[in-house]
Amino acid sequence: MVNQTWNQYVVKKGNKNIVLETIINNSPISRADIAQQTGLNKGTVSSLVSELLEEQMINEVGPGKSSGGRRPVMLLFNQVAGYTIGIDLGVNYLLGVLTDLQGNIFYKKKITYSELTYEEIEMRLFEVIDELKQAAPKSPYGIVGIGVGVPGTVNNNGEILLAPNLGWKNIDLKTVLEEKYGIPVKIENEANAGAYGEKRFGIGQDFDDIIYISAGIGIGVGLILSGKLYKGSNGFSGELGHMTIQANGFKCRCGNEGCWELYASEQALLNEAEKLGIASETNKRITLEDLIERAENGEKETIQLFEKIGYYLGVGVNNIINIFNPKQIIIGNRAASAERWLKKPIEKLMKTNTLWYQHDDIQVNFTEQATHSAALGMSALTIEEFLEPWDGMVLSQDG
Ligand SMILES: [Zn+2]
């Protein structure tokens, strides 16, 4: 009896969402095929499809292929029913994308900066969001949400507890943005966002156990375990940039010593370059882009520097492999642009230092720069939240 009630409840709650999901994943599809695929009866499918059409979540298109008989009208997900804004807020850059409901980028904006205060970054963030908002075509639902990935620890309420490389502590950016724009806002750690972006739209689509390493000014790690984003009980997982890889090593801002990010991040690379006296021609501070240019010109000292960073990336990757037994390691964020010099030392260290039964089937990939993992991941999370009510609306009819 209890079981039966539970089953009825689950079925009712999910029907409309199941129909919508089936259309999203199989567009174009006929009503009959939806009924067949979902096991729902044709009448139920028909009435739910009518509701979805009225809500402009789906479209009808001309007759599809038929094996004899009348050709059916096909249904398509209306991916431009609304748009999302996904932001990757880095220590020294801000990247924003405007996407449709399937993660296709319509417009993007990137700016770079260095050493700005919170207020200054907030101002830049508003400017980027305003520009993306203006670029959005007219649609039934407009901008359905804003997602911001930040390099710091974010709790389950979207509060940024600590972003050491930005110097932020207890920042409630979610409320700030919700009050200013009046639309739902999601804040997430940028490594979690990047992991999710690669799983949904990028090179992680074929794998269920993925470690995404976001190596920028600091290092964050996003975990996809059994196909799902793993966040820990309070949302604090993935602080692996602060695992100790050197006992009695450099002192870290987090209070620990010998943290991984002090040896394998963009900041580590820049610090080492300065120590070696590799200077920028323009008298400004040396940047990753300067160093990549030097390495491309065959400058030995710089190439060795990248290889050293690659070695330390490998040391951390090795630890992570032994903890999680992943199928895929994705190196993302700024470090991905130095793949040419980082990949070999990482793979070499994996071969020599990882337990023999682990390394055979692990794939190491670098993100393609054009994928914008973290910004797209925030779009994906925002889209999911937007689609949730289709679940809930049916639920409420349930009483
Ligand atoms: Zn640390």
Side-chain angles (χ1 to χ4, degrees), residues 242 252 254 256 259:
H242 296 282
C252 183
C254 75
N256 189 19
C259 293

Side-chain angles (χ1 to χ4, degrees), residues 267-282:
Q267 190 63 58
L269 177 82
L270 300 179
N271 290 349
E272 289 285 312
E274 261 170 35
K275 267 191 231 163
L276 288 170
I278 301 174
S280 154
E281 255 114 61
T282 56

Side-chain angles (χ1 to χ4, degrees), residues 171-185:
I171 301 268
D172 192 3
L173 187 59
K174 181 178 155 75
T175 305
V176 170
L177 292 176
E178 276 177 346
E179 276 171 7
K180 184 166 167 71
Y181 293 101
I183 38 183
V185 172

Side-chain angles (χ1 to χ4, degrees), residues 87-91 93 148-156 158-171 173 187-194 214 216-222 231 234-242 254 261 333 374 378:
I87 306 271
D88 176 7
L89 191 158
V91 174
Y93 68 91
V148 186
V150 295
T153 307
V154 180
N155 70 15
N156 286 332
E159 265 170 86
I160 303 161
L161 300 187
L162 188 69
N165 294 316
L166 281 166
W168 293 6
K169 215 175 161 180
N170 296 318
I171 301 268
L173 187 59
I187 310 284
E188 185 57 80
N189 169 274
E190 60 83 27
N192 285 346
S214 167
I217 287 294
I219 293 182
V221 176
K231 293 173 58 176
N234 294 314
F236 306 157
S237 70
E239 287 303 326
L240 290 166
H242 296 282
C254 75
E261 70 171 36
N333 205 336
M378 288 318 301

Side-chain angles (χ1 to χ4, degrees), residues 10-313:
V10 171
V11 168
K12 271 190 189 166
K13 171 182 180 277
N15 280 354
K16 192 160 169 186
N17 197 41
I18 287 168
V19 170
L20 180 58
E21 237 180 72
T22 307
I23 297 170
I24 290 175
N25 295 328
N26 302 284
S27 288
I29 186 170
S30 68
R31 285 167 176 81
D33 285 342
I34 295 171
Q36 207 203 2
Q37 273 196 32
T38 60
L40 297 169
N41 72 50
K42 283 184 185 168
T44 307
V45 170
S46 230
S47 78
L48 293 176
V49 162
S50 302
E51 286 179 35
L52 289 167
L53 280 167
E54 211 164 286
E55 290 158 5
Q56 303 187 58
M57 288 302 288
I58 58 173
N59 291 322
E60 274 180 324
V61 284
K65 278 185 208 144
S66 165
S67 43
R70 198 156 58 93
R71 292 198 295 172
V73 172
M74 304 300 276
L75 302 165
L76 284 172
F77 175 48
N78 182 16
Q79 64 195 56
V80 292
Y83 292 84
T84 74
I85 290 176
I87 306 271
D88 176 7
L89 191 158
V91 174
N92 48 8
Y93 68 91
L94 224 164
L95 168 72
V97 297
L98 175 78
T99 77
D100 66 18
L101 298 179
Q102 283 199 312
N104 299 305
I105 297 176
F106 256 68
Y107 187 86
K108 68 181 174 192
K109 173 79 182 175
K110 185 171 183 180
I111 57 170
T112 57
Y113 45 75
S114 68
E115 293 176 15
L116 297 188
T117 63
Y118 168 76
E119 286 75 19
E120 288 167 325
I121 290 180
E122 190 188 84
M123 196 74 96
R124 301 290 196 291
L125 179 61
F126 290 161
E127 285 166 14
V128 168
I129 291 174
D130 290 340
E131 189 174 329
L132 293 170
K133 254 186 83 176
Q134 280 200 342
K138 260 207 149 100
S139 63
Y141 292 88
I143 304 282
V144 301
I146 300 171
V148 186
V150 295
T153 307
V154 180
N155 70 15
N156 286 332
N157 298 325
E159 265 170 86
I160 303 161
L161 300 187
L162 188 69
N165 294 316
L166 281 166
W168 293 6
K169 215 175 161 180
N170 296 318
I171 301 268
D172 192 3
L173 187 59
K174 181 178 155 75
T175 305
V176 170
L177 292 176
E178 276 177 346
E179 276 171 7
K180 184 166 167 71
Y181 293 101
I183 38 183
V185 172
K186 249 187 129 54
I187 310 284
E188 185 57 80
N189 169 274
E190 60 83 27
N192 285 346
Y196 200 64
E198 289 300 331
K199 170 72 191 150
R200 281 296 307 276
F201 303 127
I203 46 176
Q205 288 179 64
D206 297 335
F207 299 92
D208 278 334
D209 294 290
I210 306 167
I211 309 295
Y212 174 85
I213 295 161
S214 167
I217 287 294
I219 293 182
V221 176
L223 309 168
I224 302 285
L225 302 177
S226 306
K228 291 204 173 94
L229 183 62
Y230 176 80
K231 293 173 58 176
S233 59
N234 294 314
F236 306 157
S237 70
E239 287 303 326
L240 290 166
H242 296 282
M243 70 178 156
T244 307
I245 61 156
Q246 184 98 52
N248 301 314
F250 299 142
K251 191 124 191 72
C252 183
R253 289 198 230 189
C254 75
N256 189 19
E257 284 172 355
C259 293
W260 187 26
E261 70 171 36
L262 302 178
Y263 297 84
S265 63
E266 179 182 357
Q267 190 63 58
L269 177 82
L270 300 179
N271 290 349
E272 289 285 312
E274 261 170 35
K275 267 191 231 163
L276 288 170
I278 301 174
S280 154
E281 255 114 61
T282 56
N283 251 346
K284 276 197 283 179
R285 283 219 163 131
I286 194 134
T287 64
L288 176 64
E289 287 73 16
D290 296 332
L291 291 170
I292 285 174
E293 202 185 312
R294 282 165 180 267
E296 269 168 357
N297 291 332
E299 213 184 79
K300 248 201 171 138
E301 209 180 16
T302 308
I303 291 172
Q304 282 168 354
L305 193 55
F306 275 115
E307 287 169 349
K308 189 174 169 187
I309 297 292
Y311 166 81
Y312 279 113
L313 270 171

